[in-house]
Coordinates of all heavy atoms in Angstrom, one line a residue:
M192 N 11.6 7.7 -177.9 CA 12.5 8.8 -177.1 C 13.9 8.4 -177.1 O 14.3 7.2 -177.1 CB 11.9 8.7 -175.7 CG 12.4 9.8 -174.8 SD 11.5 9.9 -173.2 CE 11.1 11.6 -173.2
K193 N 14.7 9.4 -177.3 CA 16.2 9.1 -177.3 C 16.8 9.5 -175.9 O 16.3 10.3 -175.1 CB 16.9 10.2 -178.3 CG 16.3 9.8 -179.7 CD 17.5 9.6 -180.5 CE 16.9 9.3 -181.9 NZ 17.8 8.6 -182.7
N194 N 18.0 8.9 -175.5 CA 18.6 9.2 -174.3 C 19.9 9.8 -174.5 O 20.6 9.5 -175.6 CB 19.0 7.9 -173.6 CG 17.6 7.1 -173.2 OD1 16.7 7.7 -172.7 ND2 17.6 5.8 -173.4
Y195 N 20.3 10.8 -173.8 CA 21.6 11.5 -173.9 C 22.2 11.4 -172.5 O 21.6 11.5 -171.4 CB 21.3 12.9 -174.3 CG 20.8 13.0 -175.6 CD1 19.4 13.1 -175.9 CD2 21.6 13.1 -176.7 CE1 18.9 13.2 -177.1 CE2 21.0 13.2 -177.9 CZ 19.8 13.2 -178.1 OH 19.2 13.3 -179.5
R196 N 23.5 11.5 -172.6 CA 24.3 11.7 -171.2 C 24.9 13.0 -171.1 O 25.4 13.5 -172.1 CB 25.4 10.7 -171.1 CG 25.0 9.4 -170.6 CD 26.2 8.5 -170.3 NE 25.7 7.1 -170.6 CZ 26.3 6.2 -171.4 NH1 27.5 6.5 -171.9 NH2 25.9 5.0 -171.5
V197 N 24.7 13.8 -170.2 CA 25.2 15.2 -170.0 C 26.0 15.2 -168.8 O 25.5 14.8 -167.7 CB 24.1 16.1 -170.1 CG1 24.6 17.5 -169.8 CG2 23.2 16.0 -171.2
R198 N 27.1 15.7 -168.8 CA 28.0 16.0 -167.6 C 27.9 17.6 -167.3 O 28.1 18.3 -168.2 CB 29.5 15.7 -167.7 CG 29.5 14.2 -167.9 CD 31.0 13.7 -167.9 NE 32.0 14.6 -168.3 CZ 33.2 14.4 -168.0 NH1 33.7 13.4 -167.4 NH2 34.0 15.3 -168.5
V199 N 27.5 17.9 -166.1 CA 27.3 19.3 -165.7 C 28.3 19.7 -164.7 O 28.4 18.8 -163.6 CB 25.9 19.6 -165.3 CG1 25.7 21.1 -164.9 CG2 25.0 19.3 -166.3
R200 N 29.1 20.8 -164.7 CA 30.0 21.1 -163.6 C 29.2 21.3 -162.3 O 28.0 21.9 -162.4 CB 30.8 22.4 -164.0 CG 31.9 22.1 -165.0 CD 32.6 23.4 -165.3 NE 32.1 23.7 -166.7 CZ 31.8 24.9 -167.0 NH1 32.0 26.0 -166.2 NH2 31.5 25.2 -168.2
D201 N 29.8 21.0 -161.1 CA 29.1 21.2 -159.9 C 28.5 22.6 -159.6 O 27.4 22.8 -159.2 CB 30.1 21.0 -158.7 CG 30.5 19.5 -158.7 OD1 29.6 18.7 -159.2 OD2 31.5 19.2 -158.2
E202 N 29.3 23.6 -160.1 CA 28.7 25.0 -159.8 C 27.7 25.4 -160.7 O 27.0 26.4 -160.4 CB 29.9 26.0 -160.0 CG 30.5 26.2 -161.3 CD 31.6 25.2 -161.5 OE1 32.0 24.4 -160.7 OE2 32.4 25.4 -162.6
K203 N 27.4 24.7 -161.8 CA 26.2 25.0 -162.7 C 25.1 24.0 -162.6 O 24.2 24.1 -163.3 CB 26.7 24.9 -164.1 CG 27.9 25.9 -164.5 CD 27.3 27.2 -164.5 CE 28.4 28.3 -164.9 NZ 27.9 29.6 -164.9
T204 N 25.0 23.1 -161.6 CA 24.0 22.1 -161.5 C 22.6 22.8 -161.1 O 21.6 22.3 -161.7 CB 24.3 21.0 -160.3 OG1 24.6 21.7 -159.1 CG2 25.5 20.1 -160.8
A205 N 22.6 23.8 -160.3 CA 21.4 24.4 -159.9 C 20.7 25.0 -161.2 O 19.6 24.9 -161.4 CB 21.6 25.5 -158.8
F206 N 21.6 25.7 -162.0 CA 21.0 26.3 -163.2 C 20.5 25.3 -164.2 O 19.4 25.3 -164.7 CB 22.2 27.1 -163.9 CG 21.8 27.6 -165.2 CD1 20.9 28.6 -165.5 CD2 22.3 26.9 -166.4 CE1 20.5 29.0 -166.7 CE2 21.9 27.4 -167.7 CZ 21.1 28.4 -167.9
F207 N 21.3 24.1 -164.3 CA 20.8 23.1 -165.2 C 19.5 22.5 -164.7 O 18.7 22.2 -165.6 CB 21.9 22.0 -165.2 CG 21.6 20.9 -166.0 CD1 21.8 21.0 -167.5 CD2 21.3 19.7 -165.6 CE1 21.4 20.0 -168.4 CE2 20.9 18.6 -166.4 CZ 21.1 18.8 -167.9
E208 N 19.4 22.2 -163.5 CA 18.2 21.5 -163.0 C 17.0 22.6 -163.2 O 15.9 22.1 -163.6 CB 18.3 21.3 -161.5 CG 19.2 20.1 -161.1 CD 19.5 19.7 -159.9 OE1 19.0 20.5 -158.9 OE2 20.1 18.7 -159.6
E209 N 17.2 23.9 -163.0 CA 16.1 24.7 -163.2 C 15.8 24.8 -164.7 O 14.7 24.8 -165.1 CB 16.4 26.2 -162.8 CG 15.4 27.2 -162.9 CD 15.8 28.6 -162.4 OE1 16.9 28.8 -161.7 OE2 15.0 29.5 -162.7
L210 N 16.8 24.8 -165.6 CA 16.5 24.9 -167.1 C 15.7 23.7 -167.5 O 14.8 23.7 -168.2 CB 17.9 24.9 -167.8 CG 17.8 24.8 -169.2 CD1 17.2 25.9 -169.8 CD2 19.3 24.6 -169.7
M211 N 16.2 22.4 -166.9 CA 15.5 21.2 -167.2 C 14.0 21.2 -166.8 O 13.2 20.6 -167.5 CB 16.1 20.0 -166.7 CG 17.6 19.8 -167.3 SD 17.7 19.8 -169.1 CE 17.0 18.2 -169.4
R212 N 13.8 21.8 -165.7 CA 12.3 21.8 -165.2 C 11.5 22.6 -166.2 O 10.2 22.3 -166.2 CB 12.3 22.6 -163.8 CG 11.7 21.8 -162.8 CD 11.8 22.4 -161.4 NE 13.1 22.5 -160.8 CZ 13.8 23.4 -160.3 NH1 13.2 24.6 -160.3 NH2 15.0 23.4 -159.8
Y213 N 12.0 23.7 -166.9 CA 11.2 24.3 -167.7 C 11.0 23.8 -169.2 O 10.3 24.3 -170.0 CB 11.7 25.9 -167.8 CG 11.3 26.6 -166.6 CD1 12.5 26.9 -165.7 CD2 10.1 27.1 -166.3 CE1 12.3 27.7 -164.6 CE2 9.9 27.8 -165.1 CZ 10.8 28.0 -164.2 OH 10.7 28.7 -163.2
L214 N 11.9 22.8 -169.4 CA 11.7 22.2 -170.7 C 10.7 21.0 -170.7 O 10.9 20.1 -170.0 CB 13.0 21.6 -171.2 CG 14.2 22.6 -171.4 CD1 15.5 22.0 -171.7 CD2 13.8 23.7 -172.4
D215 N 9.6 21.3 -171.4 CA 8.4 20.3 -171.4 C 8.7 19.1 -172.2 O 7.9 18.0 -172.2 CB 7.2 20.9 -171.6 CG 7.1 21.6 -172.9 OD1 8.1 21.7 -173.6 OD2 5.9 21.9 -173.4
F216 N 9.7 19.1 -173.2 CA 9.9 18.1 -174.0 C 10.8 17.0 -173.6 O 11.1 15.9 -174.3 CB 10.3 18.5 -175.5 CG 11.6 19.3 -175.4 CD1 12.8 18.7 -175.5 CD2 11.6 20.8 -175.3 CE1 14.0 19.3 -175.5 CE2 12.7 21.4 -175.2 CZ 14.0 20.7 -175.4
C217 N 11.3 17.1 -172.4 CA 12.3 15.9 -171.9 C 12.2 15.7 -170.4 O 11.6 16.5 -169.7 CB 13.7 16.5 -172.2 SG 14.3 17.9 -171.4
D218 N 12.6 14.6 -170.0 CA 12.7 14.3 -168.6 C 14.1 14.0 -168.3 O 14.9 13.6 -169.2 CB 11.9 12.9 -168.3 CG 10.4 12.9 -168.7 OD1 9.8 13.9 -168.6 OD2 9.9 12.0 -169.3
Y219 N 14.4 14.4 -167.1 CA 15.8 14.2 -166.6 C 15.9 13.4 -165.3 O 14.9 13.6 -164.5 CB 16.5 15.4 -166.6 CG 16.3 16.4 -165.4 CD1 17.1 16.4 -164.3 CD2 15.1 17.2 -165.4 CE1 16.8 17.2 -163.2 CE2 15.0 18.0 -164.3 CZ 15.7 17.9 -163.2 OH 15.5 18.7 -162.0
E220 N 17.0 12.8 -165.1 CA 17.1 12.0 -163.8 C 18.7 12.3 -163.3 O 19.5 12.3 -164.1 CB 17.0 10.6 -164.0 CG 17.2 9.7 -162.9 CD 17.2 8.3 -163.3 OE1 16.8 7.9 -164.6 OE2 17.5 7.4 -162.5
S221 N 18.9 12.6 -162.0 CA 20.1 13.0 -161.6 C 20.8 11.7 -161.1 O 20.1 11.0 -160.3 CB 19.9 13.9 -160.4 OG 21.3 14.1 -159.8
V222 N 21.9 11.3 -161.6 CA 22.6 10.1 -161.0 C 24.1 10.5 -160.7 O 24.6 11.6 -161.1 CB 22.7 9.2 -162.2 CG1 21.3 8.5 -162.6 CG2 23.4 9.7 -163.3
E223 N 24.5 9.8 -159.6 CA 25.9 10.1 -159.1 C 27.0 9.7 -160.2 O 27.9 10.5 -160.4 CB 26.2 9.4 -157.8 CG 25.3 10.1 -156.7 CD 25.7 11.5 -156.4 OE1 26.9 11.8 -156.5 OE2 24.8 12.3 -156.2
G224 N 26.9 8.6 -160.7 CA 27.8 8.2 -161.7 C 27.3 6.9 -162.3 O 26.3 6.4 -161.9
F225 N 28.0 6.6 -163.4 CA 27.5 5.3 -164.1 C 28.8 4.7 -164.8 O 29.7 5.5 -165.0 CB 26.5 5.6 -165.2 CG 26.7 6.8 -166.0 CD1 27.5 6.8 -167.2 CD2 26.3 8.2 -165.6 CE1 27.7 7.8 -168.0 CE2 26.6 9.1 -166.4 CZ 27.2 9.0 -167.7
A226 N 28.7 3.5 -164.9 CA 29.8 2.8 -165.6 C 29.7 2.7 -167.1 O 28.6 2.5 -167.6 CB 29.9 1.3 -165.2
E227 N 30.6 3.3 -167.8 CA 30.6 3.4 -169.2 C 31.5 2.3 -169.9 O 32.7 2.5 -169.5 CB 30.9 4.9 -169.6 CG 30.7 5.1 -171.1 CD 31.0 6.5 -171.4 OE1 31.2 7.4 -170.6 OE2 31.1 6.8 -172.6
P228 N 31.0 1.5 -170.7 CA 32.0 0.6 -171.3 C 32.9 1.2 -172.2 O 32.6 2.2 -172.9 CB 31.0 -0.3 -172.1 CG 29.8 0.5 -172.4 CD 29.6 1.4 -171.2
R229 N 34.1 0.8 -172.2 CA 35.1 1.3 -173.0 C 35.3 0.7 -174.2 O 35.2 -0.5 -174.3 CB 36.5 1.3 -172.3 CG 36.6 1.9 -170.9 CD 36.6 3.5 -171.2 NE 36.7 4.2 -169.8 CZ 36.8 5.4 -169.8 NH1 37.1 6.1 -170.9 NH2 36.8 6.0 -168.7
I230 N 35.2 1.4 -175.3 CA 35.3 0.9 -176.6 C 36.5 1.4 -177.3 O 36.7 2.6 -177.4 CB 34.1 1.2 -177.5 CG1 32.8 0.8 -176.8 CG2 34.2 0.7 -179.0 CD1 31.5 1.2 -177.5
Y231 N 37.5 0.5 -177.6 CA 38.7 1.0 -178.3 C 38.5 0.6 -179.7 O 38.4 -0.6 -180.1 CB 39.9 0.1 -177.6 CG 40.0 0.5 -176.1 CD1 39.5 -0.4 -175.2 CD2 40.6 1.7 -175.7 CE1 39.6 -0.1 -173.8 CE2 40.6 2.0 -174.4 CZ 40.3 1.1 -173.5 OH 40.3 1.5 -172.1
P232 N 38.8 1.6 -180.7 CA 38.6 1.4 -182.1 C 39.6 0.4 -182.6 O 39.3 -0.3 -183.6 CB 38.8 2.7 -182.6 CG 39.4 3.6 -181.7 CD 39.1 3.0 -180.3
G233 N 40.7 0.2 -182.0 CA 41.6 -0.7 -182.5 C 41.8 -2.0 -181.8 O 42.8 -2.6 -181.7
F234 N 40.7 -2.4 -181.1 CA 40.7 -3.5 -180.2 C 41.0 -4.7 -181.0 O 41.9 -5.7 -180.5 CB 39.3 -3.7 -179.5 CG 39.3 -4.9 -178.6 CD1 40.1 -4.8 -177.3 CD2 38.5 -5.9 -178.8 CE1 40.1 -5.8 -176.6 CE2 38.5 -6.9 -177.9 CZ 39.2 -7.0 -176.8
E235 N 40.4 -4.9 -182.2 CA 40.7 -6.2 -182.9 C 41.7 -5.8 -184.0 O 41.8 -6.3 -185.1 CB 39.3 -6.6 -183.6 CG 38.5 -7.0 -182.6 CD 37.1 -7.7 -183.2 OE1 37.3 -8.1 -184.4 OE2 36.1 -7.6 -182.6
F236 N 42.7 -5.1 -183.6 CA 43.9 -4.7 -184.4 C 44.6 -5.9 -184.9 O 45.0 -6.8 -184.0 CB 44.7 -3.7 -183.7 CG 46.0 -3.4 -184.4 CD1 45.9 -2.5 -185.5 CD2 47.2 -3.9 -184.1 CE1 47.1 -2.1 -186.2 CE2 48.4 -3.5 -184.8 CZ 48.3 -2.7 -185.9
K237 N 44.9 -6.1 -186.1 CA 45.8 -7.2 -186.6 C 47.1 -6.6 -187.2 O 46.9 -5.6 -188.0 CB 45.2 -8.0 -187.7 CG 43.9 -8.7 -187.1 CD 43.3 -9.5 -188.2 CE 42.0 -10.3 -187.7 NZ 41.3 -11.0 -188.8
E238 N 48.2 -7.0 -186.7 CA 49.4 -6.4 -187.3 C 49.5 -6.8 -188.8 O 49.4 -7.9 -189.3 CB 50.7 -7.0 -186.6 CG 51.9 -6.4 -187.0 CD 53.0 -6.8 -185.9 OE1 52.8 -7.3 -185.0 OE2 54.3 -6.8 -186.5
K239 N 49.9 -5.6 -189.6 CA 50.0 -5.9 -191.0 C 51.4 -6.5 -191.2 O 52.3 -6.5 -190.6 CB 50.1 -4.4 -191.7 CG 48.7 -3.8 -191.6 CD 48.9 -2.5 -192.4 CE 47.6 -1.6 -192.3 NZ 47.7 -0.4 -193.0
E240 N 51.3 -7.5 -192.2 CA 52.5 -8.2 -192.5 C 53.5 -7.1 -193.2 O 53.2 -6.3 -193.9 CB 52.2 -9.2 -193.5 CG 51.3 -10.4 -193.0 CD 51.1 -11.4 -194.0 OE1 51.9 -11.6 -195.0 OE2 50.1 -12.1 -193.8
K241 N 54.7 -7.3 -192.9 CA 55.8 -6.4 -193.3 C 56.1 -6.8 -194.6 O 56.4 -8.0 -195.1 CB 57.0 -6.5 -192.3 CG 56.7 -5.9 -191.1 CD 57.9 -5.9 -190.2 CE 57.6 -5.3 -188.8 NZ 58.8 -5.3 -187.9
S242 N 56.3 -5.8 -195.4 CA 56.5 -6.1 -196.9 C 58.1 -6.1 -197.0 O 58.9 -5.2 -196.6 CB 56.0 -4.9 -197.8 OG 56.5 -5.1 -199.1
T243 N 58.5 -7.1 -197.5 CA 60.0 -7.4 -197.9 C 60.2 -7.2 -199.3 O 61.5 -7.4 -199.7 CB 60.4 -8.8 -197.4 OG1 59.6 -9.7 -198.2 CG2 60.2 -9.0 -195.9
K244 N 59.4 -6.8 -200.0 CA 59.5 -6.5 -201.5 C 60.3 -5.2 -201.7 O 60.4 -4.4 -200.9 CB 58.3 -6.4 -202.2 CG 57.3 -7.5 -202.3 CD 55.9 -7.1 -202.9 CE 55.1 -8.2 -202.8 NZ 53.7 -7.9 -203.5
K245 N 61.1 -5.2 -202.7 CA 61.9 -3.9 -203.1 C 60.9 -2.9 -203.6 O 59.9 -3.2 -204.2 CB 63.0 -4.2 -204.2 CG 64.1 -5.0 -203.6 CD 65.2 -5.3 -204.7 CE 66.4 -6.0 -204.2 NZ 67.4 -6.1 -205.2
G246 N 61.2 -1.6 -203.3 CA 60.3 -0.6 -203.8 C 59.0 -0.5 -203.0 O 58.0 -0.2 -203.4
A247 N 59.0 -0.8 -201.7 CA 57.8 -0.9 -200.9 C 57.5 0.6 -200.7 O 58.3 1.5 -200.8 CB 58.1 -1.4 -199.5
K248 N 56.1 0.9 -200.5 CA 55.7 2.2 -200.4 C 56.3 2.9 -199.1 O 56.6 2.2 -198.1 CB 54.1 2.2 -200.3 CG 53.5 1.8 -201.5 CD 52.0 1.9 -201.3 CE 51.3 1.6 -202.7 NZ 49.9 1.6 -202.5
G249 N 56.4 4.3 -199.2 CA 56.9 5.0 -198.0 C 58.3 5.3 -198.3 O 59.0 4.7 -198.9
R250 N 58.8 6.4 -197.6 CA 60.2 6.7 -197.7 C 60.9 6.5 -196.3 O 60.3 6.6 -195.3 CB 60.3 8.2 -197.9 CG 59.7 8.6 -199.3 CD 59.9 10.1 -199.6 NE 59.0 10.8 -198.6 CZ 58.9 12.1 -198.7 NH1 59.7 12.9 -199.6 NH2 58.2 12.7 -197.8
P251 N 62.1 6.2 -196.5 CA 62.9 6.1 -195.2 C 62.9 7.4 -194.4 O 62.7 8.5 -194.9 CB 64.4 5.7 -195.6 CG 64.2 5.3 -197.0 CD 63.1 6.0 -197.6
L252 N 63.0 7.4 -193.2 CA 62.9 8.6 -192.3 C 63.9 9.6 -192.7 O 63.6 10.8 -192.5 CB 63.0 8.2 -190.8 CG 61.8 7.4 -190.2 CD1 62.2 6.9 -188.7 CD2 60.6 8.2 -190.3
K253 N 65.1 9.1 -193.0 CA 66.1 10.3 -193.3 C 65.7 11.0 -194.5 O 65.9 12.2 -194.6 CB 67.4 9.5 -193.8 CG 68.1 8.8 -192.6 CD 69.4 8.1 -192.9 CE 70.0 7.4 -191.8 NZ 71.3 6.7 -192.1
E254 N 64.9 10.5 -195.5 CA 64.6 11.2 -196.7 C 63.4 12.1 -196.3 O 63.2 13.3 -196.7 CB 64.1 10.2 -197.8 CG 65.2 9.6 -198.4 CD 64.7 8.7 -199.6 OE1 63.6 9.0 -200.1 OE2 65.4 7.7 -199.9
A255 N 62.4 11.6 -195.5 CA 61.2 12.3 -195.3 C 61.4 13.3 -194.1 O 60.5 14.3 -193.9 CB 60.1 11.4 -194.7
G256 N 62.4 13.3 -193.4 CA 62.6 14.0 -192.1 C 62.6 15.6 -192.2 O 61.6 16.1 -192.1
I257 N 63.8 16.1 -192.3 CA 63.8 17.6 -192.1 C 63.1 18.5 -193.2 O 62.4 19.4 -192.8 CB 65.4 18.0 -192.0 CG1 65.9 17.3 -190.8 CG2 65.5 19.5 -192.0 CD1 67.5 17.6 -190.8
S258 N 63.1 18.2 -194.5 CA 62.6 19.0 -195.4 C 61.1 19.0 -195.3 O 60.5 20.1 -195.6 CB 63.1 18.5 -196.9 OG 62.6 17.2 -197.1
D259 N 60.5 17.9 -195.1 CA 59.0 17.8 -195.0 C 58.5 18.6 -193.6 O 57.6 19.3 -193.8 CB 58.5 16.3 -194.9 CG 58.4 15.8 -196.2 OD1 58.7 16.5 -197.2 OD2 58.4 14.5 -196.3
M260 N 59.4 18.4 -192.6 CA 59.0 19.0 -191.4 C 59.0 20.6 -191.6 O 58.3 21.3 -191.2 CB 59.9 18.6 -190.2 CG 59.4 19.2 -188.9 SD 60.6 18.8 -187.5 CE 60.9 17.2 -187.6
E261 N 60.1 21.1 -192.2 CA 60.3 22.5 -192.5 C 59.1 23.1 -193.4 O 58.6 24.1 -193.1 CB 61.6 22.8 -193.1 CG 62.8 22.6 -192.2 CD 64.1 22.8 -192.8 OE1 64.2 22.9 -194.1 OE2 65.2 22.8 -192.2
S262 N 58.8 22.4 -194.4 CA 57.7 22.7 -195.3 C 56.4 22.7 -194.4 O 55.5 23.7 -194.8 CB 57.5 21.9 -196.4 OG 57.3 20.6 -196.2
N263 N 56.1 21.8 -193.6 CA 54.9 21.7 -192.8 C 54.8 22.9 -191.9 O 53.8 23.5 -191.6 CB 54.9 20.4 -192.0 CG 54.6 19.3 -193.0 OD1 54.1 19.2 -194.1 ND2 54.8 18.0 -192.5
M264 N 55.9 23.3 -191.2 CA 56.0 24.3 -190.4 C 55.7 25.6 -191.0 O 55.1 26.5 -190.6 CB 57.4 24.4 -189.7 CG 57.5 23.2 -188.6 SD 56.2 23.1 -187.3 CE 56.8 24.7 -186.3
A265 N 56.2 25.8 -192.3 CA 56.1 27.0 -192.9 C 54.6 27.2 -193.4 O 54.0 28.2 -193.3 CB 56.9 26.9 -194.3
S266 N 54.0 26.0 -193.8 CA 52.6 26.1 -194.1 C 51.7 26.4 -193.0 O 50.7 27.1 -192.9 CB 52.1 24.9 -194.9 OG 52.2 23.8 -194.1
L267 N 52.1 25.9 -191.8 CA 51.5 26.1 -190.5 C 51.5 27.6 -190.1 O 50.5 28.3 -189.7 CB 52.0 25.2 -189.4 CG 51.4 25.3 -188.0 CD1 49.8 25.0 -188.1 CD2 52.0 24.4 -187.0
R268 N 52.7 28.2 -190.2 CA 52.9 29.5 -190.0 C 52.1 30.5 -190.8 O 51.4 31.3 -190.5 CB 54.3 30.0 -190.1 CG 55.2 29.5 -189.0 CD 56.6 30.0 -189.1 NE 57.5 29.2 -188.2 CZ 58.4 28.3 -188.6 NH1 58.5 28.0 -189.9 NH2 59.1 27.7 -187.8
E269 N 52.0 30.0 -192.1 CA 51.2 30.7 -193.1 C 49.7 30.8 -192.9 O 48.9 31.7 -192.8 CB 51.4 30.2 -194.5 CG 50.6 30.9 -195.6 CD 50.7 30.3 -196.9 OE1 51.8 29.6 -197.2 OE2 50.0 30.5 -197.9
V270 N 49.2 29.6 -192.4 CA 47.8 29.4 -192.0 C 47.5 30.2 -190.8 O 46.5 30.9 -190.7 CB 47.5 28.0 -191.8 CG1 46.0 27.8 -191.2 CG2 47.4 27.2 -193.1
M271 N 48.5 30.2 -189.8 CA 48.1 30.9 -188.5 C 48.2 32.4 -188.7 O 47.5 33.2 -188.2 CB 49.3 30.6 -187.5 CG 49.1 29.2 -187.0 SD 50.5 28.7 -185.8 CE 50.3 29.8 -184.5
S272 N 49.1 32.9 -189.7 CA 49.0 34.3 -190.0 C 47.9 34.8 -190.7 O 47.2 35.9 -190.5 CB 50.3 34.7 -190.9 OG 50.2 34.2 -192.1
R273 N 47.2 33.9 -191.6 CA 45.8 34.3 -192.3 C 44.9 34.3 -191.1 O 44.0 35.2 -191.2 CB 45.5 33.1 -193.2 CG 46.4 33.2 -194.5 CD 45.9 32.2 -195.4 NE 47.0 32.0 -196.5 CZ 46.9 31.0 -197.4 NH1 45.9 30.0 -197.3 NH2 47.8 30.9 -198.3
I274 N 44.9 33.3 -190.3 CA 43.9 33.4 -189.1 C 43.9 34.6 -188.3 O 43.0 35.2 -188.0 CB 44.1 32.2 -188.2 CG1 43.6 30.8 -189.0 CG2 43.1 32.2 -186.9 CD1 43.9 29.5 -188.2
N275 N 45.2 35.1 -188.0 CA 45.4 36.2 -187.2 C 44.9 37.5 -188.0 O 44.3 38.5 -187.5 CB 46.8 36.4 -186.7 CG 47.1 35.5 -185.6 OD1 46.4 35.0 -184.9 ND2 48.4 35.0 -185.5
A276 N 45.2 37.5 -189.3 CA 44.8 38.6 -190.2 C 43.2 38.8 -190.2 O 42.7 39.7 -190.1 CB 45.4 38.5 -191.6
Q277 N 42.5 37.5 -190.3 CA 41.1 37.5 -190.4 C 40.5 38.0 -189.1 O 39.5 38.7 -189.0 CB 40.7 36.1 -190.7 CG 39.1 36.0 -191.0 CD 38.7 36.7 -192.2 OE1 39.5 36.9 -193.1 NE2 37.5 37.2 -192.2
R278 N 41.2 37.5 -188.0 CA 40.7 37.9 -186.6 C 40.9 39.3 -186.5 O 39.9 40.1 -186.0 CB 41.6 37.2 -185.6 CG 41.1 37.4 -184.2 CD 41.9 36.5 -183.3 NE 41.7 35.1 -183.5 CZ 42.6 34.1 -183.3 NH1 43.8 34.5 -182.8 NH2 42.5 32.9 -183.5
D279 N 42.0 40.0 -186.9 CA 42.2 41.5 -186.7 C 41.2 42.1 -187.6 O 40.6 43.2 -187.2 CB 43.6 41.8 -187.1 CG 44.6 41.3 -186.1 OD1 44.3 40.9 -185.0 OD2 45.9 41.1 -186.6
K280 N 40.9 41.7 -188.8 CA 39.9 42.3 -189.7 C 38.6 42.3 -189.0 O 37.7 43.3 -189.2 CB 39.9 41.5 -191.0 CG 39.0 42.1 -192.1 CD 39.0 41.3 -193.3 CE 38.0 41.8 -194.3 NZ 37.9 40.9 -195.5
N281 N 38.1 41.2 -188.4 CA 36.8 41.0 -187.8 C 36.7 42.0 -186.6 O 35.5 42.4 -186.2 CB 36.5 39.6 -187.4 CG 36.3 38.8 -188.6 OD1 35.9 39.3 -189.8 ND2 36.5 37.5 -188.5
R282 N 37.9 42.3 -185.8 CA 37.8 43.1 -184.7 C 37.5 44.6 -185.1 O 36.9 45.4 -184.3 CB 39.0 43.0 -184.0 CG 39.2 41.7 -183.2 CD 40.5 41.7 -182.3 NE 40.6 40.5 -181.7 CZ 41.8 40.0 -181.2 NH1 42.9 40.7 -181.2 NH2 41.8 38.8 -180.7
K283 N 38.0 45.0 -186.2 CA 37.8 46.4 -186.8 C 36.4 46.7 -187.0 O 35.4 46.2 -187.2 CB 38.7 46.7 -187.8 CG 40.1 46.6 -187.5 CD 41.1 46.9 -188.6 CE 42.5 46.9 -188.1 NZ 43.5 47.0 -189.2

């Protein structure tokens, strides 16, 4: 058997409990709260050694700054317009 944690809004608890009563393939238990261990993906993070070699990867911020941001914004606008067009097409 597998275990799942489910959070239910207060106004929907009656519906949830009734729903769970009719499901014969699972058991449920009401709990007030529980302690959940926090897992941080970067917990054992090790700082990378800084490269002092000439020709290190990456561009300085001045080069990467405005032109990349403008092109990213343009492509974002294009994608958003495609989404809106598809949404309008589906509404018709």
Side-chain angles (χ1 to χ4, degrees):
M192 189 170 229
K193 299 238 181 202
N194 296 316
Y195 296 92
R196 283 189 205 134
V197 178
R198 293 184 341 162
V199 180
R200 284 182 258 136
D201 290 337
E202 63 270 8
K203 299 291 184 177
T204 54
F206 170 75
F207 180 75
E208 288 176 357
E209 183 178 351
L210 176 66
M211 296 308 286
R212 237 179 282 130
Y213 288 107
L214 298 177
D215 61 346
F216 59 86
C217 66
D218 300 322
Y219 77 97
E220 177 183 356
S221 177
V222 294
E223 286 300 315
F225 47 87
E227 185 174 349
R229 299 289 179 170
I230 300 171
Y231 299 101
F234 183 68
E235 294 186 21
F236 175 75
K237 294 181 181 178
E238 188 174 335
K239 294 180 181 179
E240 293 182 26
K241 294 182 180 179
S242 176
T243 56
K244 298 178 186 175
K245 290 185 178 179
K248 291 184 180 180
R250 295 183 293 184
L252 289 176
K253 290 181 182 177
E254 290 179 22
I257 297 173
S258 62
D259 285 347
M260 187 185 311
E261 288 175 356
S262 65
N263 288 341
M264 291 301 289
S266 64
L267 179 62
R268 285 188 195 102
E269 181 181 338
V270 169
M271 288 175 65
S272 67
R273 287 182 193 168
I274 290 171
N275 287 333
Q277 186 68 30
R278 189 178 296 149
D279 291 342
K280 181 180 174 185
N281 288 339
R282 286 183 185 165
K283 292 180 181 179

